[in-house]
């Protein structure tokens, strides 16, 4: 069966959930082959997990030459793997890095690129979220190797073991690809909550919180959710920019998005309107966010959220 390359998204060998979602989608197109950038220390445990979630093959690209640089060396290594394997498609996570690697890879291989897919069907037809989530289109790559980035939470990981054959792949990285070096990296502050872009549930707060995010965090913790914020909340200095959802923040597509004290400006919608179920709490029944929601509560978030949190915690 034709291979489908799945680029593994991980931090020091800890694989992020969207990778397993990609493997589940890859099975529809062929035989999933995971591509793991990392040294031997990180790759052994990672290979076990990738196998458990259905990878038939795991290419380990030792990243001694690649680590410490931005995305160009990864794109170059992937180009060499594409030339070696002639895959049915290459799937990457739709994040900052995944999209940039995908763009470079598409240029290098002369291939068509689809970003922000939310589904991939047999035959390579994708459902793609475009224009900041305002339209959904069906699209298919017609030239070269389909390069597809998929939004987190677009598929359910399948814990069905694959063959899991590990192969070391020695990529040749040119000097031209090493023009931007990472000189310092600051890890995300540990919050004990899921990462915003891959969380199944996101609870967000806006200007309506008045700067008090305790009710937002309380509900988020009761639901095992990530915390998000509108730009108004971020610009007010109540939350860091890394929490911002929207056009100039992060794009999320969780199973459940709860918007609290957020009016629903177009720029906020751009980052969350592909969420599967949307709930809003707003004291203004005319707030535009209510045009978008599956469930709406007209009320003061400082009263509604603690009551909801207490109810959830009792169950
Ligand atoms: P507001 O619009 O002020 O709404 C606050 C809401 O809270 C109101 O609906 C009010 O009824 C409600 N409320 C008040 N008190 C309570 C209470 N006690 N209980 C319940 N509800 C209450 N915005 C983003 O969010 N993300 C982006 O990435 C982004 N990018 C932008 C990019 C550009 C180029 C521009 C021009 C704007 C961008 N914005 C972005 C800003 C956007 O236009 C809005 O200004 C912003 O989203 C408003 O945030 P908000 O909904 O929290 O505040």
């Amino acid at each position: 069966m034709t291979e489908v390359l799945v680029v593994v998204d991980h931090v020091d060998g800890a694989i992020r959930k969207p990778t397993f979602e990609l493997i589940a989608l890859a099975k529809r197109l062929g035989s999933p082959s995971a591509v793991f950038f990392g040294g031997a220390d990180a790759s052994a445990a990672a290979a076990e997990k990738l196998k458990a979630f259905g990878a038939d093959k795991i290419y380990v690209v030792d990243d001694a030459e690649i680590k410490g640089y931005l995305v160009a060396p990864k794109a170059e290594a992937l180009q060499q793997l594409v030339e070696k394997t002639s895959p049915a498609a290459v799937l990457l996570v739709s994040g900052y890095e995944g999209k940039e690697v995908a763009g470079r890879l598409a240029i290098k291989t002369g291939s068509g690129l689809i970003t922000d897919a939310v589904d991939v069907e047999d035959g390579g037809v994708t459902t793609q979220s475009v224009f900041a989530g305002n339209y959904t289109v069906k699209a298919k790559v017609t030239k070269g190797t389909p390069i597809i980035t998929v939004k987190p939470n677009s598929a359910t990981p399948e814990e069905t073991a694959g063959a899991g054959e590990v192969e070391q792949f020695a990529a040749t990285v040119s000097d031209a690809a090493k023009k931007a070096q990472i000189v310092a990296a600051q890890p995300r502050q540990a919050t004990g909550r899921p990462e915003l872009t891959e969380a199944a549930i996101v609870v967000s707060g806006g200007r309506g919180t008045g700067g008090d995010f305790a009710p937002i965090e309380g509900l988020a913790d009761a639901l095992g959710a990530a915390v998000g914020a509108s730009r108004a909340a971020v610009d007010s200095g109540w939350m860091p920019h890394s929490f911002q959802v929207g056009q100039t923040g992060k794009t999320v597509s969780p199973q459940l998005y709860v918007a609290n004290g957020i009016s629903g400006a177009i720029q906020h919608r751009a980052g969350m309107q592909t969420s599967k179920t949307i709930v809003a709490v707003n004291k203004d029944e005319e707030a535009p966010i209510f045009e978008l929601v599956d469930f709406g509560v007209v009320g003061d978030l400082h009263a509604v959220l603690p009551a909801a949190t207490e109810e959830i915690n009792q169950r």
Side-chain angles (χ1 to χ4, degrees):
M1 213 194 305
T2 318
E3 292 181 57
V4 180
L5 299 182
V6 170
V7 180
V8 178
D9 184 14
H10 73 97
V11 179
D12 296 332
I15 300 168
R16 292 191 162 138
K17 182 173 147 270
T19 298
F20 303 124
E21 297 167 12
L22 293 186
I23 293 175
L25 290 173
K27 288 179 196 167
R28 299 178 186 172
L29 305 177
S31 165
S33 293
V35 183
F36 182 89
F37 289 94
D41 45 341
S43 63
E48 282 304 310
K49 277 223 115 180
L50 292 165
K51 177 181 177 181
F53 279 87
D56 286 327
K57 201 153 197 180
I58 298 137
Y59 293 104
V60 176
V61 186
D62 193 324
D63 65 349
E65 282 281 285
I66 294 172
K67 210 172 178 172
Y69 292 93
L70 289 175
V71 291
K74 282 190 182 168
E76 211 170 83
L78 283 169
Q79 177 192 8
Q80 291 158 27
L81 251 181
V82 167
E83 281 162 8
K84 173 186 152 87
T85 60
S86 303
V90 182
L91 304 185
L92 305 96
V93 177
S94 243
Y96 295 127
E97 180 172 307
K99 282 193 197 175
E100 192 168 339
V101 172
R104 286 168 183 265
L105 181 61
I107 298 233
K108 282 178 180 297
T109 56
S111 299
L113 166 69
I114 286 177
T115 55
D116 289 338
V118 291
D119 196 16
V120 183
E121 296 164 25
D122 285 2
V125 174
T126 64
T127 307
Q128 188 188 11
S129 172
V130 297
F131 300 139
N134 282 306
Y135 290 89
T136 299
V137 294
K138 297 267 186 188
K140 185 177 173 172
V141 168
T142 54
K143 181 168 184 255
T145 304
I147 315 287
I148 304 169
T149 76
V150 182
K151 281 189 168 197
N153 292 313
S154 296
T156 308
E158 292 166 9
E159 209 165 345
T160 314
E165 185 195 329
V166 177
E167 183 177 324
Q168 302 294 326
F169 181 75
T172 318
V173 179
S174 70
D175 287 343
K178 294 185 185 168
K179 284 188 177 156
Q181 194 172 16
I182 298 168
V183 289
Q186 204 172 356
R188 181 173 76 97
Q189 268 186 338
T191 59
R193 300 193 183 103
E195 211 279 317
L196 184 55
T197 53
E198 62 188 60
I201 305 177
V202 174
V203 180
S204 284
R207 203 194 308 272
T209 60
D212 176 13
F213 263 68
I216 308 292
E217 293 178 324
L219 181 61
D221 290 340
L223 292 169
V227 170
S230 72
R231 178 157 160 183
V234 169
D235 284 353
S236 301
W238 301 336
M239 295 304 271
H241 180 256
S242 57
F243 285 63
Q244 184 177 317
V245 172
Q247 184 185 319
T248 43
K250 290 184 174 157
T251 302
V252 299
S253 196
Q255 297 296 325
L256 172 64
Y257 187 86
V258 190
N260 305 285
I262 293 176
S263 60
I266 184 78
Q267 297 89 353
H268 187 79
R269 292 179 183 211
M272 46 65 74
Q273 63 189 349
T274 56
S275 304
K276 314 291 176 298
T277 301
I278 299 172
V279 176
V281 179
N282 196 303
K283 68 180 186 185
D284 174 10
E285 64 178 35
E286 302 287 329
I289 191 82
F290 285 131
E291 294 162 10
L292 199 67
V293 300
D294 299 285
F295 303 97
V297 181
V298 179
D300 185 337
L301 70 90
H302 294 102
V304 175
L305 297 197
T309 304
E310 194 184 330
E311 182 66 31
I312 292 163
N313 284 337
Q314 274 173 12
R315 291 190 182 190

